[in-house]
Amino acid sequence: MSKKSSEKDDCNAVSEKKLNREKGAIKGTLSRIEIFTSEKTVSKDTNVTEVQVKLKKLEQLQTQLDKISEEYCEIVTVTSEKFETIQQDIEQINERIEETEVGLKILLSSLKVNENTNTVLNANGKAKIRLPEIPLPEFSGKIAEFANFKNQFTNLISNNDQLNDSQKLYYLCASLKGEAKLLESSSDNIQSLFKALSDRYENQRQLIDSHVLE
């Protein structure tokens, strides 16, 4: 055997070992994803993003496996019998990837359906009915309508402890239309804007005059 041929055989042997290690790494990662898939259920401990990350990882494993399969074909020293064994192993890994992908997609679909159900959990972990969303009250500057608007907005937004002042201001600005919107300024906070509205539209004399004009 020539020196050149010997060096080529050594190179092929190194390449085969490298591919075997890479194939082993794929198996290890796949096993961990399989365990994740078998243990996870639709619960508050499982989220959509987590499952999507695992699906993305499976896609990467499939790409790596396809590349390894092609590289095995380029190693001329691999006997036909050995190559057949390698191909069978790769085929089994492919089947495992496909089965795991199906399991993850079923889990993902169930999670998305669960997110869209008509029940939510309150602070005590008890289920309660999700009520239909109530549209924001609107105020366009009609004095006679301000008292009703103020009452609705206070009940829906101002008294909502889950909203901070910036969010409340955002909703107040979104509620104002027409003439009333002209009272907004860049320096407003929820308190100052509400006070400006009250000062402008709770004026009893103007309220009386507006009824007279009607």
Side-chain angles (χ1 to χ4, degrees):
M1 181 183 294
S2 67
K3 182 178 179 181
K4 187 174 182 180
S5 177
S6 177
E7 288 176 350
K8 186 174 182 180
D9 288 344
D10 290 343
C11 182
N12 283 329
V14 171
S15 296
E16 184 180 347
K17 288 180 180 179
K18 175 177 173 291
L19 293 177
N20 288 340
R21 285 196 301 271
E22 291 177 358
K23 180 157 62 72
I26 289 174
K27 283 183 175 181
T29 302
L30 178 57
S31 293
R32 289 191 290 274
I33 298 176
E34 286 173 329
I35 293 171
F36 169 89
T37 307
S38 64
E39 291 180 347
K40 288 294 180 180
T41 57
V42 180
S43 69
K44 63 181 180 180
D45 297 323
T46 311
N47 61 70
V48 169
T49 302
E50 193 176 14
V51 178
Q52 288 174 330
V53 168
K54 298 299 181 185
L55 279 169
K56 184 66 176 177
K57 187 62 181 177
L58 271 186
E59 184 181 329
Q60 293 171 352
L61 291 182
Q62 184 66 70
T63 301
Q64 292 171 11
L65 189 64
D66 291 342
K67 183 173 180 292
I68 287 174
S69 181
E70 292 176 1
E71 290 179 352
Y72 269 120
C73 295
E74 297 173 0
I75 301 177
V76 295
T77 57
V78 176
T79 63
S80 58
E81 183 179 342
K82 192 173 184 180
F83 183 74
E84 184 178 346
T85 301
I86 291 171
Q87 286 300 101
Q88 288 176 350
D89 192 24
I90 289 176
E91 188 59 38
Q92 288 176 355
I93 298 173
N94 270 318
E95 290 175 0
R96 288 171 59 190
I97 289 176
E98 290 175 3
E99 290 173 1
T100 306
E101 182 181 6
V102 170
L104 284 173
K105 285 184 175 179
I106 291 173
L107 177 59
L108 182 62
S109 177
S110 299
L111 285 170
K112 288 182 176 179
V113 169
N114 193 55
E115 284 185 346
N116 294 327
T117 56
N118 291 325
T119 60
V120 293
L121 296 178
N122 60 20
N124 298 320
K126 295 180 180 179
K128 63 180 181 180
I129 301 298
R130 186 192 297 275
L131 297 174
E133 290 187 6
I134 301 173
L136 278 175
E138 293 184 353
F139 180 63
S140 60
K142 293 183 179 180
I143 295 175
E145 297 175 357
F146 181 71
N148 186 48
F149 165 76
K150 182 179 180 181
N151 183 53
Q152 289 183 18
F153 190 88
T154 299
N155 290 332
L156 283 174
I157 305 299
S158 297
N159 292 341
N160 190 333
D161 294 334
Q162 295 180 346
L163 299 174
N164 59 39
D165 283 353
S166 295
Q167 291 169 321
K168 291 176 182 179
L169 177 61
Y170 171 83
Y171 285 122
L172 180 55
C173 291
S175 296
L176 300 181
K177 310 295 178 185
E179 176 192 314
K181 203 162 186 66
L182 298 177
L183 288 178
E184 293 179 23
S185 74
S186 58
S187 60
D188 279 330
N189 55 43
I190 181 66
Q191 290 83 9
S192 66
L193 182 54
F194 223 119
K195 184 178 185 304
L197 288 166
S198 297
D199 290 346
R200 172 69 178 83
Y201 296 107
E202 278 187 332
N203 185 301
Q204 293 300 312
R205 180 62 188 174
Q206 287 185 326
L207 179 58
I208 294 171
D209 290 344
S210 70
H211 282 301
V212 171
L213 291 173
E214 291 174 357

